[in-house]
Amino acid sequence: QVQLVDSGGGLVQAGGSLRLSCAASGRTFSSYAMGWFRQAPGKEREFVAAINWSDGSTYYADSVKGRFTISGNNAKNTVYLQMNSLKPEDTAVYYCAAATSIATMRLSLTTSWGQGTQVTVSS
């Protein structure tokens, strides 16, 4: 079982930046990919970005491509989501997730979830 603790959310103006962090503990060797989802009020949870631990490959949702960057620190078992050029439509609760691969993560077949961190972008 992998435990995830995500943090770094907050209130920012449109065009601003935030960096989210997700610290993993427990049986992290069993998780080969980590990533982020988000859920806006009244909407379903959606995939945002993921990174594969073994080769560093990444995958992004079209809505954030070019603005968000996911990265990881293997030694610290921590994943980051750098969010630039934020828009009001990025407002959501962001959840860290772990999965066996990027492919399974994109299908929401995750093994663990973080508790979520609120990101609010004002216009």
Side-chain angles (χ1 to χ4, degrees):
Q1 186 72 20
V2 177
Q3 290 79 45
L4 304 176
V5 178
D6 39 37
S7 61
L11 173 63
V12 64
Q13 289 188 333
S17 299
L18 280 174
R19 189 177 82 156
L20 305 183
S21 299
C22 174
S25 61
R27 299 187 62 182
T28 56
F29 64 86
S30 64
S31 294
Y32 301 105
M34 290 182 67
W36 295 90
F37 288 74
R38 67 186 182 186
Q39 186 167 22
K43 295 187 177 181
E44 293 187 354
R45 188 176 298 187
E46 63 174 357
F47 170 81
V48 175
I51 184 167
N52 187 305
W53 277 128
S54 61
D55 61 9
S57 58
T58 58
Y59 191 90
Y60 297 91
D62 288 342
S63 58
V64 306
K65 202 172 294 183
R67 299 188 298 122
F68 290 11
T69 301
I70 189 169
S71 61
N73 184 322
N74 285 357
K76 295 183 178 181
N77 284 326
T78 300
V79 172
Y80 306 97
L81 185 68
Q82 178 67 42
M83 305 184 295
N84 298 328
S85 301
L86 282 162
K87 305 175 182 180
E89 50 264 43
D90 294 318
T91 295
V93 177
Y94 283 69
Y95 297 90
C96 179
T100 55
S101 69
I102 290 181
T104 56
M105 182 167 292
R106 290 177 59 199
L107 295 173
S108 296
L109 298 175
T110 59
T111 59
S112 300
W113 291 97
Q115 80 283 5
T117 184
Q118 176 71 47
V119 172
T120 303
V121 184
S122 62
S123 57

